[in-house]
Amino acid sequence: MSDKATIYDIAKKLNISAATVSRALNDHPKTSNKTKTLVQETALELGYEQNKLALALKSGRSNNIGVIVPRIDINFFGSIIRGIEDELYPKGYHIIICQTHDNEQKEIQNINALLNAQVDGIITSITKNTKDVSIFDRILSKNTPLIFVDRKLDLKGASSVTLDDFKGAYMATQHLIDQGCKRIAHLTVIGYQSVGIYKERLEGYVQALKDNNIPFEERLVLETENDLSSGKKAGQKILKFKERPDGIFSSSDFMILGVIKEIKANGIKIPEDIAVIGFSNEPFTKFMENPISSVDQCALEMGKLAAKVFLDQIIDPKLLKVEKNVILAPKLKIRQSSTRKPIKD
């Protein structure tokens, strides 16, 4: 017998045909439960492992789904993955997780690898540098369900589950205005123009200013990397303004955390001198000395809904090419960093 047991080894030991063994291993309805149990016990005893790829090719299903995110070490994306798994694991699906680190070439490599692995669908959040859409067209050309989550492309045949980022930004900015802020800075990521979510957050901020007759000042929009150290540098720039902002709305909790550290290091009080609010509602926002106000992106729900969209499409082939675009309503989490008495004129 070879190192790897085959169905022929099982058949020989049980004195039955290889075809019977194959039917038993694949839970064929015409095979008795007694035979199925016997075959499965013998397969376990001999260390037999089914060829998952061969089964996928034969059945057209692998029961694997690919999930691609920019980074798995951020709670937001971790929660999306958890939501997807919560929905799909009980249905017998396994998740293959890939990360791009916002690198378009890694994104392309990940998609090709997942397609070669015969995944039944792909749920993805694009990189902030994604320009070539042909790789996504390849997914759709193979009749593989494609669902964008959070960051998306507008492609015919692709579905999406996103947040109303414009509304979330508008609510955050309006909250600062309601708290008496009259000169509000906005932190966004470098290259925001090509990333839909950050572009919409800027537009929500601008609209809230406009609706409250507050002039928009382009210099109060600061572009930076989405991390703590870059946030600190942005804080240094803000403190150098001749007319210092009295409010800051950041499109990321990580950037605003860096800003807060820099502001406090210079003896400026939050929220009395500068009220601040972030975006995403990362866990650390609740546990700061001054808990940070933030816009909740509903990541867990986003993941669950993306999984449900996939299930709808895979169960009913007629829905495969039916685009489903789900937009979640943002929730404002008001905490100490932005709460103060309104400033009187």
Side-chain angles (χ1 to χ4, degrees):
M1 191 171 68
S2 62
D3 291 339
K4 285 189 175 181
T6 68
I7 60 171
Y8 299 101
D9 298 320
I10 299 170
K12 185 177 179 181
K13 180 153 188 174
L14 295 176
N15 197 27
I16 57 177
S17 70
T20 301
V21 173
S22 178
R23 285 194 294 270
L25 288 170
N26 290 295
D27 200 24
H28 195 282
K30 290 187 178 180
T31 307
S32 70
N33 288 332
K34 182 180 178 182
T35 301
K36 288 177 186 176
T37 302
L38 193 60
V39 168
Q40 287 164 0
E41 287 176 349
T42 306
L44 192 64
E45 179 188 333
L46 296 177
Y48 170 77
E49 293 180 3
Q50 284 181 291
N51 187 326
K52 300 293 185 184
L53 184 57
L55 283 173
L57 291 170
K58 186 177 179 182
S59 68
R61 295 276 182 90
S62 66
N63 276 36
N64 290 326
I65 183 165
V67 177
I68 309 173
V69 296
R71 288 174 58 182
I72 60 174
D73 59 346
I74 292 178
N75 179 72
F76 172 67
F77 291 115
S79 295
I80 285 177
I81 292 168
R82 180 186 160 192
I84 294 169
E85 191 170 47
D86 284 352
E87 286 296 320
L88 295 185
Y89 187 75
K91 306 289 193 303
Y93 282 93
H94 298 281
I95 296 173
I96 301 173
I97 302 168
C98 307
Q99 58 180 337
T100 62
H101 296 287
D102 273 324
N103 182 301
E104 187 181 25
Q105 284 307 307
K106 283 187 178 180
E107 181 173 62
I108 293 169
Q109 291 166 7
N110 285 334
I111 291 171
N112 281 325
L114 290 172
L115 290 176
N116 290 337
Q118 307 287 328
V119 293
D120 294 337
I122 293 177
I123 298 175
T124 182
S125 184
I126 64 168
T127 80
K128 66 179 182 180
N129 303 304
T130 297
K131 293 180 178 65
D132 183 5
V133 301
S134 62
I135 189 66
F136 299 99
D137 289 330
R138 185 181 173 217
I139 299 171
L140 296 169
S141 71
K142 290 180 173 289
N143 288 326
T144 300
L146 171 62
I147 300 100
F148 291 111
V149 62
D150 186 43
R151 306 180 192 174
K152 69 167 188 169
L153 294 170
D154 292 320
L155 291 180
K156 187 173 176 56
S159 295
S160 65
V161 180
T162 58
L163 187 81
D164 190 336
D165 288 282
F166 176 93
K167 185 177 180 181
Y170 188 101
M171 290 165 64
T173 308
Q174 184 63 54
H175 166 66
L176 291 176
I177 294 168
D178 291 343
Q179 291 298 308
C181 298
K182 298 186 181 300
R183 196 158 192 270
I184 303 168
H186 176 54
L187 299 187
T188 188
V189 299
I190 295 171
Y192 70 89
Q193 298 94 335
S194 60
V195 187
I197 59 172
Y198 295 113
K199 189 178 177 184
E200 287 172 20
R201 289 172 196 177
L202 173 63
E203 289 171 354
Y205 156 79
V206 172
Q207 190 62 48
L209 295 179
K210 184 179 178 182
D211 289 351
N212 287 274
N213 297 314
I214 297 175
F216 168 69
E217 296 181 55
E218 195 169 336
R219 61 177 178 160
L220 288 180
V221 177
L222 284 76
E223 292 184 58
T224 183
E225 295 293 345
N226 187 11
D227 56 51
L228 191 146
S229 60
S230 298
K232 288 183 75 172
K233 291 175 184 175
Q236 291 167 4
K237 288 181 183 177
I238 287 170
L239 294 177
K240 288 178 182 176
F241 279 126
K242 190 175 288 185
E243 292 181 75
R244 196 173 65 205
D246 56 2
I248 304 170
F249 161 52
S250 172
S251 59
S252 157
D253 285 336
F254 292 99
M255 290 190 286
I256 203 65
L257 178 60
V259 170
I260 288 170
K261 286 184 175 293
E262 187 62 29
I263 288 173
K264 283 190 170 184
N266 283 271
I268 295 165
K269 294 178 181 178
I270 297 173
E272 292 87 351
D273 299 325
I274 303 179
V276 302
I277 187 166
F279 209 109
S280 193
N281 196 32
E282 290 287 333
F284 67 78
T285 58
K286 297 186 284 287
F287 305 115
M288 301 285 293
E289 182 183 348
N290 279 15
I292 304 171
S293 296
S294 188
V295 179
D296 190 351
Q297 286 184 274
C298 314
L300 190 66
E301 187 182 356
M302 199 177 279
K304 285 176 180 285
L305 286 170
K308 286 177 180 176
V309 171
F310 161 74
L311 288 171
D312 286 345
Q313 291 183 331
I314 205 75
I315 289 168
D316 187 350
K318 288 183 290 186
L319 295 176
L320 186 59
K321 292 184 182 288
V322 176
E323 296 166 30
K324 192 168 186 180
N325 298 301
V326 182
I327 302 175
L328 296 174
K331 298 172 184 173
L332 211 54
K333 300 294 182 181
I334 304 302
R335 302 189 179 103
Q336 192 175 337
S337 72
S338 65
T339 307
R340 65 185 187 188
K341 293 179 180 180
I343 298 172
K344 295 180 181 179
D345 292 325

